[in-house]
Amino acid sequence: MPLNRRTFLESSVAVGAGAALTTGVAAAPAQAHGPRPRPAKRYSFTVMGTTDLHGNVFNWDYFTDREFDDKAHNDVGLAKISTLVEQVRKEKGRCNTLLIDAGDTIQGTQLSYYYAKVDPITARRGPVHPMAQAMNAIGYDAAALGNHEFNYGIPVLRKFEEQCDFPLLGANALDAKTLRPAFPPYSMHRLRTPHGRDVTVAVLGLTNPGIAIWDKANVSGKMVFPGLEEQAAKWVPRLRSMGSDVVVVSAHSGSSGTSSYGDQLPHIENAAGLVAEQVPGIDAILVGHAHTEIPEYRVQNKETGKDVVLSEPLKWGQRLTLFDFDLVWEKGRWVVEKVGAQVLNSNTVEEDPEIVGLLADEHEKVVAYVNQIIGTSSATMATAEAPWKDEPIIDLINHVQAETVKEALAGGAYAALPVLSQASCFSRTAAIPAGQVTIRDAAGLYVFENTLEARLLTGAQVKDYLEFSARYYVQTPAGAPVDTAKLTNADGTPDYNYDAVYGVTYEIDIARPAGSRIVNLSFDGKPIDPAARFVLAVNNYRASGGGAFPHVAKAQQLWANSDEIRNTIIQWVKAKGSIDPGLFASVDWKLTRDGVPVF
């Protein structure tokens, strides 16, 4: 995509660097009672930051149709953030603050989905995206691109960019043909001080190189995404030479220096800490993508020895980061003397009535949409125990996926191959009720905008895949008590990176070490043939290397669909009219220890 020059130019302020010429004579020896030196000129300001808002405007869960709540009683949404922002502006003075975001803005809730797919912003005379409306009203100054900005395709992203009153930054989102920035790399902001010398703050935006694989269908041949360190090293010196007194990086990248997709790309996914360590001239980094809370984290730059302050506010508008800068005027320029960071909790304030009123109509439309009845269910199904038991509700996802792939391959060269399917427990609170089933019930099973693919694997590769997945369980010796609260998420493995595979039967011996846990793996009642070929119905995140599962990313792609798996489930329920677990649910896998079932 070509560089959006209007947005780029409007978001950048040319800053001239001038040198002050001074003359004088040699100073006389100091007198005992001479004039006191003038106090140094100082100025303080605050940069506020959010990240991973994921379509949350209100403190509302569209999947449960009630106010959001979790075990820690966090609140979510821009309406809460707006109240915090106004409190900070009142305390600091609005002219002494900036507000930025680190990406993943337009995907994640049914509110954001509705205005991308149901009533799309790209339609002729289409609506303004609720996130653009809210962020404009709050007064954001800049936002970095997140990887989920690309989920709905570049036209939706470009329309959202057009609707925002602030620039969307991505120094490492390049046009595939020209290798020029496809979005503004940075924005410049002047803050007026009481001393007649403005402070110039540069905000450099960096996004995640994983976009190239996670949204390959949307960006292949159009954009490329080089590493964050490489592009920061290119742009930070330029920003300094343009007169920037302060450089803040807004990076949609975690701080751990790791990647969740293995060796699929030569660039690090979570590179914010490496940027701080390797690139001199950065004062602070607003971190995103990892969905963790980091109030303040200091990284020493290897070249300068100076600390770079990192902070990551918790996702969905649960926290607001504050970077507090103290500057001093030295040798004709502003110098950063001190930087500190903290986070504010949005559950301490009420929603801003202005934001609530602004988007009340959009909210009500989406509530009505998700409560549409699409069918019935003969039984209640829930995910509460799905992380450690083969539950019918996960079988439902897998059954729909396998059936969809079988239909797609029918009549082709691979039609005779058995179809397996993978699915994860994305939410431990999802449920299908007995009786009427709504869109929100079905959509709650699949909270991500993943699409469906078919990949070709061997029996041996299926076993490797399952062994990798089984790392999710904490090793628990035979006879030892089993506490389900401590059984899962070994080594920090999230629920969405544990896959149950449908179409084969197997046991997971949790008494054994990871890598040797899969026992009695069978297909059609017989031990699986390592050389046999299988089709795996798999989501595009996993197929592109997400979670670093073995084999699947390099396996032959037999088919791919552009529709979300969530929609596939909804359409399946609509077409069937009813859900009967007796037609698809069975216990195909279980946890064991020395052959004895755990549950």
Side-chain angles (χ1 to χ4, degrees):
M1 296 295 292
L3 172 64
N4 187 329
R5 296 184 63 83
R6 178 183 63 79
T7 306
F8 176 76
L9 293 172
E10 289 179 355
S11 66
S12 304
V13 178
V15 181
L21 180 64
T22 60
T23 60
V25 295
Q31 302 297 317
H33 301 290
R36 294 181 180 178
R38 292 181 181 178
K41 297 175 182 177
R42 283 187 160 80
Y43 175 66
S44 298
F45 71 96
T46 297
V47 175
M48 298 175 281
T50 55
T51 190
D52 297 281
L53 293 168
H54 283 288
N56 285 279
V57 173
F58 302 98
N59 188 43
W60 191 260
D61 186 339
Y62 291 96
F63 294 124
T64 61
D65 201 27
R66 59 176 179 264
E67 186 175 288
F68 176 88
D69 196 20
D70 62 13
K71 290 180 180 179
H73 302 298
N74 288 302
D75 288 346
V76 301
L78 277 170
K80 292 266 184 174
I81 290 295
S82 182
T83 302
L84 289 176
V85 166
E86 287 308 306
Q87 287 182 353
V88 174
R89 285 171 174 164
K90 186 176 181 180
E91 176 189 349
K92 310 280 187 179
R94 186 184 182 102
C95 61
N96 301 320
T97 65
L98 294 172
L99 175 60
I100 64 176
D101 184 79
D104 276 6
T105 303
I106 60 171
Q107 174 277 338
T109 64
Q110 286 293 282
L111 180 71
S112 54
Y113 177 83
Y114 186 89
Y115 287 98
K117 292 288 190 176
V118 182
D119 185 10
I121 60 174
T122 49
R124 189 169 178 265
R125 298 180 181 176
V128 177
H129 199 289
M131 294 301 287
Q133 291 190 59
M135 295 174 81
N136 290 342
I138 295 169
Y140 274 78
D141 294 289
L145 294 164
N147 53 286
H148 283 288
E149 259 67 82
F150 294 84
N151 285 172
Y152 297 120
I154 292 174
V156 170
L157 175 54
R158 287 298 188 192
K159 188 63 177 180
F160 175 69
E161 178 188 29
E162 178 186 314
Q163 293 176 342
C164 291
D165 294 340
F166 52 90
L168 300 183
L169 308 177
N172 61 328
L174 309 182
D175 181 273
K177 294 180 179 178
T178 66
L179 298 183
R180 292 170 59 89
F183 294 85
Y186 64 88
S187 59
M188 303 284 270
H189 309 270
R190 285 186 186 270
L191 300 177
R192 183 160 295 178
T193 76
H195 307 293
R197 302 281 188 170
D198 293 350
V199 169
T200 301
V201 182
V203 178
L204 177 67
L206 296 170
T207 192
N208 205 288
I211 295 166
I213 56 172
W214 298 325
D215 269 299
K216 182 178 180 180
N218 291 327
V219 301
S220 182
K222 300 174 183 177
M223 293 185 192
V224 293
F225 302 88
L228 284 83
E229 309 99 303
E230 167 195 329
Q231 293 301 304
K234 172 183 177 180
W235 285 102
V236 172
R238 293 190 187 185
L239 297 174
R240 288 294 184 182
S241 69
M242 292 166 62
S244 301
D245 301 299
V246 180
V247 173
V248 178
V249 173
S250 183
H252 193 75
S253 181
S255 61
S256 65
T258 62
S259 291
S260 67
Y261 51 82
D263 60 356
Q264 297 304 303
L265 275 184
H267 307 299
I268 299 297
E269 176 185 359
N270 296 304
L274 297 175
V275 170
E277 182 181 77
Q278 297 176 13
V279 181
I282 298 169
D283 297 297
I285 302 180
L286 178 65
V287 178
H289 183 62
H291 288 203
T292 58
E293 181 177 344
I294 305 174
E296 182 183 84
Y297 173 47
R298 293 179 177 270
V299 175
Q300 189 178 74
N301 183 266
K302 285 185 174 180
E303 183 173 325
T304 66
K306 294 182 178 179
D307 279 356
V308 181
V309 178
L310 286 69
S311 181
E312 181 175 6
L314 199 57
K315 64 184 185 298
W316 305 346
Q318 295 180 54
R319 304 288 186 272
L320 175 71
T321 278
L322 304 186
F323 290 107
D324 292 312
F325 292 85
D326 293 331
L327 276 61
V328 63
W329 182 261
E330 288 182 354
K331 298 179 181 179
R333 66 188 183 95
W334 287 109
V335 176
V336 175
E337 190 174 46
K338 180 182 175 185
V339 186
Q342 60 177 308
V343 294
L344 303 182
N345 195 328
S346 66
N347 72 3
T348 62
V349 297
E350 298 297 320
E351 292 185 322
D352 183 342
E354 179 184 345
I355 303 302
V356 172
L358 179 68
L359 293 165
D361 289 346
E362 288 84 346
H363 174 69
E364 291 304 320
K365 281 183 182 179
V366 176
V367 169
Y369 163 74
V370 299
N371 281 290
Q372 291 180 39
I373 297 168
I374 56 173
T376 61
S377 176
S378 63
T380 298
M381 296 180 286
T383 58
E385 296 186 329
W388 54 85
K389 288 183 181 179
D390 187 350
E391 290 287 290
I393 197 166
I394 304 300
D395 288 342
L396 172 60
I397 299 172
N398 273 321
H399 179 72
V400 172
Q401 292 181 165
E403 192 173 275
T404 301
V405 167
K406 286 176 184 176
E407 291 176 0
L409 298 179
Y414 302 97
L417 293 181
V419 177
L420 314 181
S421 179
Q422 62 78 221
S424 303
C425 177
F426 295 124
S427 167
R428 297 194 183 194
T429 59
I432 297 291
Q436 294 180 334
V437 177
T438 64
I439 284 178
R440 67 177 173 84
D441 296 325
L445 299 183
Y446 223 104
V447 297
F448 296 108
E449 266 74 25
N450 293 340
T451 57
L452 188 61
E453 296 190 15
R455 296 281 177 133
L456 186 63
L457 297 180
T458 66
Q461 290 174 329
V462 170
K463 186 175 188 297
D464 289 346
Y465 189 100
L466 288 169
E467 287 285 9
F468 186 88
S469 184
R471 301 183 313 160
Y472 172 72
Y473 295 105
V474 174
Q475 187 174 3
T476 310
V482 175
D483 181 356
T484 56
K486 300 176 181 179
L487 177 63
T488 62
N489 307 103
D491 298 321
T493 303
D495 290 347
Y496 63 76
N497 273 343
Y498 170 66
D499 288 356
V501 173
Y502 178 85
V504 291
T505 59
Y506 57 98
E507 298 172 12
I508 302 173
D509 191 332
I510 60 173
R512 298 185 179 188
S516 60
R517 291 177 170 174
I518 302 302
V519 180
N520 297 327
L521 175 59
S522 301
F523 171 73
D524 202 18
K526 300 176 183 178
I528 200 165
D529 180 355
R533 297 195 303 168
F534 296 88
V535 177
L536 180 67
V538 59
N539 69 55
N540 67 305
Y541 171 76
R542 190 71 77 236
S544 63
F549 276 63
H551 307 304
V552 67
K554 296 179 180 179
Q556 182 181 350
Q557 184 190 75
L558 307 181
W559 173 83
N561 189 9
S562 61
D563 202 11
E564 292 89 353
I565 293 170
R566 172 192 299 165
N567 263 352
T568 302
I569 296 171
I570 291 169
Q571 296 305 320
W572 185 91
V573 175
K574 281 184 175 180
K576 299 293 183 182
S578 63
I579 303 171
D580 180 2
L583 298 178
F584 56 80
S586 60
V587 179
D588 296 324
W589 66 270
K590 57 189 173 185
L591 302 186
T592 62
R593 289 183 295 185
D594 295 341
V596 179
V598 176
F599 301 104

